[in-house]
């Protein structure tokens, strides 16, 4: 069986380092591993509209930002099909048929939808489109017969729901759809990188992000203001690692080689942590180290982004061509789905002959 990846992001803002460690970095690795037959990366504008119906301009403006962030991180349109969700009409058709296979109570139990409803104060007035977006996400995944969906752990309920829809479809009609597997980042901190305030997950709406396109000065300012251990007042005080954002980020980003380059007094993160716990290590020193580590990732990304920004028409051309390729793939699946559901009337000679016979007197 062909190995196929589908994944994507909502274009509601620029991408941040939480996206990077949570999925972008992994995607680029998978892309370059050569072990996948096809890779589809989707800018999920239609899904973004399910909770931004009154602000299409926000979504419209951010498509190019996400595309630039993708290219800057190393996604390569020669190897990955990068496309825009709303340009693939087959996704809507698939969603419409999948809706018959999902109950309202099953959607109400979806933990991601539940918490998003709360976060958006939608309790009393949930748009139907928002409520049903897990079904639309199942269409996104199955339209490309994806075997592998690299995403963060918050998407686990979406994958479970997709797998259920696939099983239900294949048993109700006939085997037309592929059951996908989720692929989570190996490092657990990467799955849920907190914001610089150390509280919630990094998120645009909370304003606690470090963006991939940020300048070095902005990154420095944010790192220096990062939440650490509030009880670590004097340098000599023993410090806490747990819940200390600077160390959480180091867990996500740093490796032993970084110590050789930027902090040769220590040979690895365990040694640094031990010293911090014991006391005698100041926050500023650790933050400066983190800044150097982060910049090692962010500087080349920023540089590549600046290059791509010089030719915006080329980005739209790439998205248009990607969308055409994606549409061709989705059309194949839709045809198979309609055949399995036996709603491909005009191609169904047996149906037509059967009706002829019935009406022959
Ligand atoms: N829900 C995903 C997010 O919020 C975006 C998305 C839409 C997606 N469709 C998808 C991710 C299909 C993976 C597969 O980030």
């Amino acid at each position: 069986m062909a190995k196929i990846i589908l994944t994507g992001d909502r274009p509601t803002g620029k991408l941040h380092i939480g996206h990077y460690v949570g999925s972008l970095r992994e995607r680029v690795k998978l892309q370059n591993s050569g072990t996948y037959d096809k890779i589809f990366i989707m800018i999920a504008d239609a899904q973004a509209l399910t909770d931004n119906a009154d602000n299409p301009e926000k979504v419209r403006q951010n498509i190019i930002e996400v595309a630039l962030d993708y290219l800057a991180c190393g996604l390569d349109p020669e190897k990955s099909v990068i496309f825009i969700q709303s340009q693939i009409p087959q996704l809507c058709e698939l969603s419409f048929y999948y809706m018959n296979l999902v109950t309202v109570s099953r959607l109400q139990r979806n933990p991601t939808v539940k918490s998003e409803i709360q976060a958006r104060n939608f309790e009393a007035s949930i748009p139907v489109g928002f409520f049903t977006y897990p079904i639309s996400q199942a269409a996104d995944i199955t339209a490309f017969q994806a075997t592998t969906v690299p995403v963060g752990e918050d998407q686990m309920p979406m994958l479970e729901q997709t797998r259920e829809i696939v099983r239900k479809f294949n048993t109700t009609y006939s085997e037309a759809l592929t059951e996908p597997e989720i692929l989570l980042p190996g490092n657990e901190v990467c799955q849920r990188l907190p914001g610089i305030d150390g509280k919630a997950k990094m998120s645009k709406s909370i304003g606690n992000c470090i963006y991939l396109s940020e300048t070095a000065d902005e990154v420095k300012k944010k790192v220096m203001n990062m939440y650490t251990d509030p009880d670590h007042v004097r340098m000599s005080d023993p410090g806490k690692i747990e819940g200390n954002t600077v160390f959480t980020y180091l867990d996500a980003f740093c490796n032993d080689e970084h110590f050789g380059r930027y902090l040769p007094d220590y040979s690895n993160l365990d040694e640094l942590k031990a010293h911090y716990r014991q006391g005698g290590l100041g926050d500023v020193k650790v933050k400066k180290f983190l800044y150097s580590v982060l910049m090692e990732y962010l500087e080349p990304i920023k540089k590549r982004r600046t290059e791509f920004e010089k030719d915006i028409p080329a980005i739209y051309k790439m998205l248009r061509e990607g969308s055409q390729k994606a549409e061709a793939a989705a059309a194949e699946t839709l045809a198979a789905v309609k055949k399995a559901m036996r709603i491909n009337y005009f191609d169904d000679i047996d149906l037509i002959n059967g009706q002829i016979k019935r009406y022959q007197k």
Side-chain angles (χ1 to χ4, degrees), residues 6-10 42 44 47 133 137 140-141 149 151 155:
L6 175 111
T7 186
D9 302 277
R10 297 181 189 188
M42 181 180 75
Q47 188 176 108
Y133 93 75
Q137 192 155 334
D140 302 336
I141 295 167
V149 183
V151 281
Q155 296 298 305

Side-chain angles (χ1 to χ4, degrees), residues 7 27 31 39-43 63 66-72 74-85 88 315-326:
T7 186
R27 276 182 218 174
Q31 170 192 271
I39 301 176
F40 295 94
I41 311 286
M42 181 180 75
I43 302 182
I63 286 173
V66 172
L68 285 166
D69 285 334
Y70 281 170
L71 296 170
L75 287 177
D76 174 358
E78 297 284 319
K79 298 179 187 156
S80 299
V81 176
I82 303 175
F83 70 98
I84 305 179
Q85 186 185 23
I88 319 300
I315 312 288
Y316 281 104
K317 182 164 176 277
M318 177 279 288
L319 290 171
R320 179 201 283 258
E321 287 169 1
S323 298
Q324 282 161 350
K325 282 185 209 157

Side-chain angles (χ1 to χ4, degrees), residues 2-31:
K3 289 178 79 174
I4 301 174
I5 285 179
L6 175 111
T7 186
D9 302 277
R10 297 181 189 188
T12 51
K14 295 179 173 187
L15 300 181
H16 51 63
I17 62 173
H19 292 117
Y20 184 73
V21 290
S23 95
L24 280 172
R25 178 166 65 179
E26 184 78 11
R27 276 182 218 174
V28 175
K29 261 194 227 146
L30 295 170
Q31 170 192 271

Side-chain angles (χ1 to χ4, degrees), residues 7 10 21 42-43 66 77 95 107-108 114 138 141-142 156 179 200 210 213 229 238 261 266 288 313 315 327 336:
T7 186
R10 297 181 189 188
V21 290
M42 181 180 75
I43 302 182
V66 172
S95 302
L107 282 173
Q108 280 166 336
K114 255 195 196 164
I141 295 167
T142 54
M156 219 131 66
E179 203 172 316
I210 295 177
S213 48
D229 170 8
R261 285 198 281 280
Y266 306 84
K288 281 191 173 150
I315 312 288
E327 178 167 4

Side-chain angles (χ1 to χ4, degrees), residues 224-263:
M224 290 304 158
N225 284 327
M226 215 173 237
Y227 178 84
T228 57
D229 170 8
D231 299 324
H232 186 241
V233 185
R234 265 160 296 157
M235 196 171 105
S236 54
D237 291 341
K240 247 201 350 249
I241 305 294
E242 293 70 32
N244 185 324
T245 325
V246 178
F247 281 98
T248 309
Y249 281 35
L250 285 174
D251 277 328
F253 284 96
C254 102
N255 55 44
D256 293 354
E257 282 97 76
H258 289 132
F259 283 91
R261 285 198 281 280
Y262 309 115
L263 204 59

